Amino acid sequence: MIEILAWLVIVPLAASLLYLGAELLLGLFPLDTASGPLSPPPRILLLVPAHDEAAGVGATVMALRTVVPAADILVIADNCRDDTAAAARAAGARVAERDDPTRRGKGYAMAFGRDQVAADPPDVVIIVDADCRLSAGSAERLAAQAIARDRPIQAAYLMTANGDASPLVAVSNFAVLIKNVVRARGLVRLGGGGLLFGTGMAFPWPLFRTLPLATSDAVEDLGLGLWLARQGIAVDLDERSQVTSPAAALASSRAQRSRWEHGFLLTASRQGLPLLAGGIAAASRHRAALGAHLLVPPLALLMLLALTGLAVAGAAGAASGHWLPFLILAAAFTFAVTLLLVAWWRHARRDLALAALLRIPLYMMWKIPIYIGFFTRRQTGWNRTRRPGEED
């Protein structure tokens, strides 16, 4: 009985660790995403959903105008209680105001924005969150690839922090880099397509007008990527295009992280196995890889579960003398952790010092209430994270 319990514990954990390791291994090196400019250049719409962003939306609009001067910028002031609309207009953006408290969520805001331009549509729509910045040339690259490949293109999405950010914020930013760049590369190589990150997403208009945007899904980007996969449409990653967002203090970001991680866990529990099984049955490498990706828990949760599993398997081995489950899980854990360290060395050692890296256990402990909250007080609404400088 003890041996059976040990196997039940280690098999799913070892499978998740091995798949994580495979994504990390295949994601250590950049993708080949060469693309040239289009002639004539496409008409680009930068669509900016904004909820109570008066303090920063003006700076966002001006920054976007600087790097993409020819683009049309449309800000959707969605259920705002402040001067978001006025601030966006003063910065030079077109603004559409939406007031519908019964249907709240970024998906509804994007659908509303689509309706505003349907009569005279652009060639490409790029979604940019109200606190984000696009690097120079990114919009043009994303637009050119979206048109040339006739599919969604996702920019690399990273968090930035100032010099006095806490070590735990640096650890959190490293986790985002692992998810949005390293693992994203690996997923593309494994399955031929990736997922969407909510900002820095480019869509050719003929596809954008068909998307099921108007939902209250707390992780609308994840749901949209999975919907596209079921239609046989892969999302490409262009890591040379980059969108960044300033990292908030951990205390201010707990609700936002809860929303995303709760939404991911709920989506994974409902769609992970069916997507994996359906992909295998249909010989769809894309859907099978996405299903397997969903079945890998968020990084901190996976490490917590793996350490717990090692303790259980170790206790079972000591009681029964049957050490094979423990050894298999230990090998899978070592494989994944080694590749995480290699990814840190290649991509993050300049921004995340070794002393800060050693604080990862504290970061994992900080996230435990988020995972407990999945069962006790699940976060499902579109909530706004307090920006840097708003924490006081």
Side-chain angles (χ1 to χ4, degrees):
M1 183 65 184
I2 293 177
E3 294 177 12
I4 294 175
L5 175 62
W7 283 112
L8 290 175
V9 168
I10 73 100
V11 168
L13 287 175
S16 291
L17 289 165
L18 290 172
Y19 191 80
L20 169 65
E23 286 188 340
L24 293 171
L25 180 62
L26 293 174
L28 289 176
F29 299 96
L31 297 168
D32 180 13
T33 54
S35 82
L38 294 180
S39 182
R43 295 175 58 200
I44 300 173
L45 171 68
L46 302 178
L47 184 60
V48 184
H51 173 65
D52 289 348
E53 295 283 0
V57 70
T60 295
V61 170
M62 288 188 285
L64 292 174
R65 180 64 68 210
T66 298
V67 297
V68 204
D72 184 17
I73 302 175
L74 174 61
V75 173
I76 305 303
D78 191 84
N79 288 295
C80 293
R81 299 161 297 178
D82 64 4
D83 294 327
T84 295
R89 287 193 184 97
R94 281 202 294 153
V95 177
E97 297 183 61
R98 178 176 176 272
D99 185 13
D100 187 353
T102 63
R103 300 199 307 164
R104 298 186 67 251
K106 184 176 174 181
Y108 289 117
M110 292 191 295
F112 185 76
R114 178 175 60 188
D115 292 343
Q116 307 307 303
V117 300
D120 184 22
D123 298 314
V124 177
V125 178
I126 302 176
I127 308 297
V128 183
D129 281 352
D131 66 328
C132 288
R133 301 291 185 267
L134 278 173
S135 62
S138 292
E140 293 84 355
R141 282 183 55 84
L142 291 169
Q145 291 188 66
I147 291 175
R149 303 183 187 189
D150 193 27
R151 61 175 60 179
I153 310 294
Q154 173 64 59
Y157 176 32
L158 298 172
M159 307 300 289
T160 60
N162 54 36
D164 60 356
S166 74
L168 289 187
V169 169
V171 170
S172 176
N173 291 352
F174 171 61
V176 172
L177 181 147
I178 290 296
K179 170 184 171 290
N180 289 353
V181 176
V182 182
R183 290 188 63 192
R185 289 172 180 161
L187 179 58
V188 169
R189 287 192 169 110
L190 281 168
L195 288 169
L196 297 167
F197 303 149
T199 185
M201 309 181 294
F203 302 92
W205 175 260
L207 173 61
F208 188 70
R209 64 184 176 83
T210 69
L211 297 179
L213 297 175
T215 74
S216 57
D217 191 345
V219 283
E220 80 293 325
D221 50 345
L222 178 60
L224 193 55
L226 297 178
W227 181 87
L228 287 164
R230 289 192 292 271
Q231 313 310 308
I233 301 171
V235 175
D236 280 341
L237 174 69
D238 177 27
E239 61 184 279
R240 290 176 59 189
S241 301
Q242 191 173 98
V243 59
T244 59
S245 178
L250 288 185
S252 299
S253 63
R254 189 183 294 275
Q256 184 76 359
R257 292 170 188 275
S258 296
R259 176 191 66 81
W260 192 89
E261 301 219 15
H262 293 177
F264 177 87
L265 290 170
L266 185 62
T267 301
S269 66
R270 293 174 174 175
Q271 300 192 43
L273 277 175
L275 196 60
L276 175 60
I280 293 172
S284 169
R285 180 169 64 102
H286 179 44
R287 278 184 284 162
L290 288 177
H293 181 86
L294 287 181
L295 293 175
V296 178
L299 191 56
L301 177 58
L302 178 58
M303 293 297 110
L304 287 167
L305 292 173
L307 290 171
T308 303
L310 284 169
V312 171
S320 67
H322 187 64
W323 287 98
L324 185 58
F326 175 84
L327 293 174
I328 291 175
L329 184 56
F333 181 76
T334 301
F335 174 62
V337 170
T338 299
L339 284 163
L340 282 170
L341 290 174
V342 173
W344 165 76
W345 179 259
R346 282 189 55 82
H347 299 294
R349 68 180 188 271
R350 294 179 182 176
D351 300 316
L352 181 64
L354 180 59
L357 187 69
L358 296 176
R359 295 180 183 239
I360 284 179
L362 294 177
Y363 177 71
M364 291 162 55
M365 292 175 63
W366 175 81
K367 296 192 78 172
I368 288 175
I370 293 177
Y371 302 129
I372 294 174
F374 178 72
F375 300 99
T376 60
R377 53 182 186 281
R378 193 170 297 166
Q379 179 70 45
T380 59
W382 184 26
N383 49 2
R384 177 185 179 277
T385 302
R386 283 187 291 174
R387 311 303 184 201
E390 298 179 355
E391 286 83 10
D392 297 333

